[in-house]
Amino acid sequence: TDTMSAYRAEPRIGGALAFGQNAVIVSGIGHRLRVGDGVQAALAAEREKTVNELKQQTEQQLRALDAERRARDETDRQAREQAEQQAKEKDRVEREADRTARERFAQLSEREREVLGLIVSGLTNKEIGRALDLSPRTVETHRANLFAKLQAESLAQLIRQYATLVDEESAS
């Protein structure tokens, strides 16, 4: 038989085709070499090609991982910046609220400050009236004036915003 028909008819064995005692190496790029025709060189070329392909794949994976890391770092940086901005804004709002509360507190009369201090202490209108020798109706009037001047919408808000100022004033 001629070589080509034997080549087609013979079964594959790994990367080689069997021809009786001879083996033909078929490389990925279409070269056929007989044993002894530089098989070592062909194997070395195939090995080098495989190594290069693996290197390229590894480099691509490393580039992809590096791009992911950079994207994560950028996302983290943006999240930190946003958190810092929010913290700064919160601090600014709190300082503004404190400044406004102090300005409003400064506008209270001495009697209104006394009534506020007793409200913050948890006393009822009757108890405040007895403590300051005022009628409960007068205490209600002072209390209404406090809510208006301090722009408090509820007793809880009044206490939350002004308890510290009452404590500071009583300590000094």
Side-chain angles (χ1 to χ4, degrees):
T1 66
D2 71 50
T3 307
M4 286 309 287
S5 59
Y7 175 77
R8 287 188 200 108
E10 293 294 330
R12 279 189 158 263
I13 301 172
L17 297 175
F19 285 99
Q21 296 296 332
N22 295 327
V24 175
I25 307 298
V26 180
S27 73
I29 54 174
H31 293 5
R32 287 184 356 176
L33 301 170
R34 291 198 179 274
V35 174
D37 288 344
V39 172
Q40 295 300 324
L43 291 174
E46 283 297 316
R47 188 177 316 118
E48 184 177 340
K49 177 183 171 191
T50 302
V51 167
N52 287 337
E53 287 173 357
L54 289 173
K55 282 181 182 179
Q56 286 176 348
Q57 290 173 0
T58 303
E59 287 171 1
Q60 287 173 347
Q61 290 171 349
L62 288 173
R63 282 193 298 272
L65 288 172
D66 191 45
E68 288 176 21
R69 181 193 52 78
R70 283 193 312 271
R72 252 190 338 269
D73 289 350
E74 179 63 17
T75 300
D76 290 348
R77 184 191 63 75
Q78 289 174 353
R80 278 191 307 274
E81 280 182 10
Q82 185 177 13
E84 288 172 8
Q85 291 274 354
Q86 289 172 344
K88 286 178 184 178
E89 179 63 15
K90 181 181 176 191
D91 287 346
R92 187 193 65 73
V93 168
E94 287 175 355
R95 281 192 312 274
E96 179 65 23
D98 185 56
R99 185 187 61 75
T100 302
R102 288 180 184 281
E103 287 173 359
R104 290 177 183 158
F105 185 77
Q107 294 175 1
L108 298 178
S109 68
E110 187 62 36
R111 181 60 84 181
E112 289 167 338
R113 288 181 191 200
E114 289 175 329
V115 170
L116 179 60
L118 295 173
I119 290 172
V120 168
S121 297
L123 300 181
T124 65
N125 287 350
K126 278 186 179 181
E127 292 168 333
I128 293 170
R130 284 189 211 122
L132 299 177
D133 197 27
L134 300 171
S135 73
R137 179 69 186 126
T138 303
V139 173
E140 288 174 15
T141 302
H142 285 305
R143 187 177 176 135
N145 290 340
L146 283 171
F147 275 85
K149 285 183 177 180
L150 300 177
Q151 297 179 4
E153 296 177 9
S154 68
L155 180 61
Q157 181 187 12
L158 181 84
I159 292 170
R160 189 173 48 249
Q161 286 183 332
Y162 294 97
T164 304
L165 295 175
V166 167
D167 290 343
E168 286 175 6
E169 184 179 71
S170 63
S172 58

